[in-house]
Each structure stands twice: as C-alpha cells, then as structure tokens.
Amino acid sequence: MTYNTKQKDIILEKISKLEKDFTIKEVHNMLPDVGLTTIYRLVNKLEKDGCITKIGNDNEATYHYTGKCECGNHFYLKCNKCGMLYHVDCDYADKLSKHILEDHGFVTSKEHIIINGECKTCSKGVK
Amino acid sequence: MTYNTKQKDIILEKISKLEKDFTIKEVHNMLPDVGLTTIYRLVNKLEKDGCITKIGNDNEATYHYTGKCECGNHFYLKCNKCGMLYHVDCDYADKLSKHILEDHGFVTSKEHIIINGECKTCSKGVK
DNA sequence: CTAGTTGCAAAGAGTTTGCATGGCG
DNA sequence: CGCCATGCAAACTCTTTGCAACTAG
C-alpha cells in the first residue's frame, strides 16, 4: 500500500542522521534532486507516523527527527535566538510529565516536551 | 513618540479581556472596523513590549495576552487537539525554570513556558 | 505643523493541490 | 498492468511592505 522509492530512502537517510532540527527548505537544499513537494508530503506522513515532531516556529515550520523511540526521560530546549534545539536527557522530564498528568490532568505530547527560551550562548552574547 | 489612537484602544480592550489565546484573524473578525494590517502591526509591537506571547502554531500564529505581569509561578499547557491554552499557577514552574537554568544553562523564555500536549477532555474523548 | 498611524492594494513567503508522467510491486 | 509516488506549475493562505491619506500631540 506504500511503495519504497529512492526519494523516500534518500530523505529518511538524511534527516535521521541530522543532529539538529530542520526546515523543509534546508532538506531541499541538501537534496536538490528531490522535489519540494515530495519533501513536504513525506515529512507530513512521517509526522503522522510519529517519527518526526513538528515544532511550530515563527513562519517556517521546523521539524525534528525522533525516530520511533518511546523513551520518556528527555525534553527539548529550543533557543528562540539561534533556533538550536537541545535534546536533554534528564529525569526531570519524567517528573514533570507525571506532575502535569497527576495534578493537571494533562497528557504531555508523546513525551516530547519543548521548552522555549534562550540558550547559554545567546543569553550571554546579547545585551 | 507613540500616539494613542482609537484602534489601539479597541484592540487592547478586546484582547486583554479574552480568556483564551487568539489569532490575528479572530481579532479581525471581532473587530471588522480595524484594518488587518493595523492588527498585525499592533500585535507585533505588543509582543516586543512583552504584553503578548506568540505561540508558534501550525501555519497560523497564535498569540496570548499576558499583560505586563512578571510573576514566575506559572506555565501554560497547550492542547494540540482543541487549541485551548491553559494557564496553570504552580510552584513547579519555578522549580523547572531553576532546574533548567542551573543544570542546563538555559534561560526559559520570560517565564512563559508552554508545554504541548492533550488536555483532559480531548485525551479522553478521542480513541 | 510634524511625525506616528491607518488601511488598501500589492508583493512575499511557505505550503498545498491538480494533473500528467514515471516507478514499484 | 494497476496504483502509488513524483514533480512541476498554479492556487492558497498568512504576513509584510509601499504609499497616500489621516490624526494625535
């Protein structure tokens, strides 16, 4: 019901090895031979499958490859200045999820907690 | 250096009384007499002033009026299903900010921590 | 009167859709 | 061969910009 194509392999190969988050444009720049539309369509599908997390950005959508991992002990720190996404392994994430669920009845999204702010470098650099 | 106009008053009056987050379009629908452009411009300015927090959404930007409050003991839980933004007063927010700062050197954005997930209602209702 | 503000129309930017072609199974 | 996948171009939507008219101070 779903074919394996060259483009799919190329895209998956690429984004699964990225250590940082990415935009559609970036992927397209890295893979000029794959059509823009195809990247949009595949990324959307991967997002539905749960392999990718969409990080609603300013005006351009940013995505992050998460694979199929179901581990809960981490969260993301997203720097609003430089755009970097830091993956943090930390017990605190579990505690936080549990707290939010038990005290506020809120299910944190697939254990992918994204907290916005400013990273060490940027908060020092500016001002 | 900055004038007080009718439009400004109308917009501020409206969004400061909203209990939920809003999009530019929603504001425009509520205030048909104010030009779209004006709303964009004013909201952007208010965001810079810190009275409004932008919640990078899917394709349409969502904003939330926060006023000038500098209180730190709260965070937001944003439901990805119904779009509701829950304002939660909780000591945990402070602890979390402190932890992130001390252990990860990351400054959480203006104490406005937004955590995505699914609210009680939606997580029960579906599937 | 001067400088900031407004709002229309047009331009930009990101994303989606239509449709004909090509490739997997 | 049937059906999904691809990719170009066009359509759409949200947001920004240019510019002339307007208004607060």
Side-chain angles (χ1 to χ4, degrees):
Chain A
M1 197 169 292
T2 166
Y3 298 156
N4 290 325
T5 63
K6 211 191 314 175
Q7 287 88 340
K8 244 179 233 176
D9 288 344
I10 295 176
I11 296 177
L12 257 176
E13 162 86 13
K14 199 68 181 180
I15 63 178
S16 65
K17 286 189 178 158
L18 284 177
E19 291 296 321
K20 50 192 266 4
D21 50 338
F22 57 87
T23 63
I24 299 289
K25 234 192 302 180
E26 282 168 0
V27 176
H28 189 232
N29 286 337
M30 290 185 283
L31 307 170
D33 293 340
V34 181
L36 236 197
T37 314
T38 305
I39 300 176
Y40 272 108
R41 280 195 272 232
L42 186 57
V43 166
N44 282 337
K45 189 189 289 181
L46 287 173
E47 195 199 347
K48 274 184 199 153
D49 291 349
C51 302
I52 280 182
T53 300
K54 187 181 201 171
I55 309 166
N57 229 26
D58 273 334
N59 28 19
E60 200 179 355
T62 303
Y63 300 87
H64 188 253
Y65 182 83
T66 53
K68 288 272 188 185
C69 72
E70 294 295 336
C71 52
N73 292 324
H74 66 265
F75 51 82
Y76 297 102
L77 299 176
K78 174 150 183 56
C79 180
N80 293 326
K81 277 265 165 46
C82 66
M84 190 61 197
L85 188 74
Y86 297 88
H87 182 135
V88 177
D89 282 307
C90 181
D91 288 344
Y92 224 86
D94 252 8
K95 284 189 212 157
L96 179 65
S97 285
K98 200 172 292 176
H99 164 76
I100 290 175
L101 179 60
E102 289 174 359
D103 287 20
H104 306 292
F106 198 92
V107 184
T108 52
S109 93
K110 302 172 202 153
E111 308 295 354
H112 293 135
I113 304 171
I114 298 170
I115 296 173
N116 292 277
E118 260 178 49
C119 71
K120 213 180 293 188
T121 318
C122 291
S123 61
K124 271 191 220 152
V126 185
K127 232 189 284 182
Chain B
M1 196 169 289
T2 165
Y3 298 158
N4 290 324
T5 64
K6 211 190 314 175
Q7 287 89 341
K8 246 179 231 176
D9 289 344
I10 295 175
I11 296 177
L12 256 176
E13 162 87 12
K14 201 68 181 180
I15 63 179
S16 66
K17 286 191 177 154
L18 285 177
E19 291 296 321
K20 51 192 267 358
D21 50 337
F22 57 87
T23 63
I24 298 288
K25 233 191 303 181
E26 283 168 359
V27 176
H28 189 230
N29 287 336
M30 290 185 284
L31 307 170
D33 292 339
V34 182
L36 234 198
T37 315
T38 304
I39 300 176
Y40 271 108
R41 280 195 272 233
L42 186 57
V43 166
N44 282 337
K45 188 188 290 181
L46 288 172
E47 195 200 348
K48 275 185 200 153
D49 291 348
C51 302
I52 280 182
T53 300
K54 186 181 200 170
I55 309 167
N57 229 27
D58 273 335
N59 29 20
E60 201 177 356
T62 303
Y63 300 87
H64 187 254
Y65 183 82
T66 54
K68 288 271 188 184
C69 74
E70 293 297 335
C71 53
N73 293 324
H74 65 268
F75 51 81
Y76 297 104
L77 299 176
K78 174 153 184 56
C79 179
N80 293 326
K81 278 265 164 47
C82 65
M84 190 60 196
L85 188 74
Y86 297 88
H87 183 135
V88 178
D89 280 307
C90 182
D91 287 345
Y92 224 85
D94 253 6
K95 283 189 211 159
L96 180 64
S97 286
K98 200 172 293 179
H99 164 75
I100 290 174
L101 180 61
E102 288 172 359
D103 288 19
H104 306 292
F106 199 92
V107 183
T108 52
S109 93
K110 301 173 203 150
E111 309 293 354
H112 294 133
I113 304 171
I114 299 169
I115 296 172
N116 293 277
E118 260 178 49
C119 72
K120 213 179 293 187
T121 318
C122 291
S123 61
K124 270 192 221 152
V126 185
K127 230 184 280 184

